[in-house]
Amino acid sequence: MSLLDAAREVREAAYAPYSRFKVGAAIRSVSGEVYRGCNVENVAYPEGTCAEAGAIAAMVAAGETELIEVAVIADSPSPVPPCGGCRQKLAEFGHADTPVLLATVSGATLSTTIGELLPGRFDAAHMGNAT
């Protein structure tokens, strides 16, 4: 199963009763394992969880901390990029050149990278003088 197929499959499990906007994400870790996540809404909107965050949480819960590929899919007129917070989360566990495939359920795709999604990102190197 491709990474995009994994994202497409988990999208169906999304809990989106308020927006009806289901999103699925799948990430491949450095070990080759695929981790999936879907958006989970809450009646108090800011308390929901994005699909990308769910996939990252599954990877970390399995003891891994490096991703090498990302796929995100939604039912949208054009491919939907991760929100700002998820871009930072992806950057935490991936590299600037990590490929990200954004897709729609109708088949449109956009290939990008974490670095293109979040140029000038804040990372661990900025913490060098923290005590």
Side-chain angles (χ1 to χ4, degrees), residues 65-81:
T65 58
E66 186 177 350
L67 60 88
I68 61 167
E69 188 179 5
V70 180
V72 180
I73 189 167
D75 187 6
S76 175
S78 60
V80 177

Side-chain angles (χ1 to χ4, degrees), residues 2-120:
S2 75
L3 199 61
L4 185 56
D5 287 338
R8 183 184 315 276
E9 185 177 273
V10 74
R11 179 188 165 276
E12 294 303 318
Y15 179 74
Y18 307 105
S19 71
R20 308 242 188 278
F21 189 73
K22 294 182 174 188
V23 181
I27 57 177
R28 187 177 319 279
S29 70
V30 72
S31 75
E33 282 296 315
V34 173
Y35 298 95
R36 305 167 190 209
C38 59
N39 58 317
V40 179
E41 293 181 348
N42 186 292
V43 70
Y45 261 0
E47 299 306 316
T49 304
C50 296
E52 300 89 339
I56 289 168
M59 179 185 72
V60 172
E64 298 202 59
T65 58
E66 186 177 350
L67 60 88
I68 61 167
E69 188 179 5
V70 180
V72 180
I73 189 167
D75 187 6
S76 175
S78 60
V80 177
C83 72
C86 284
R87 292 176 193 213
Q88 185 65 47
K89 289 174 182 75
L90 291 169
E92 180 73 17
F93 298 100
H95 300 282
D97 62 350
T98 299
V100 179
L101 180 63
L102 307 174
T104 67
V105 296
S106 63
T109 61
L110 174 65
S111 294
T112 187
T113 65
I114 290 175
E116 291 170 338
L117 288 172
L118 190 62

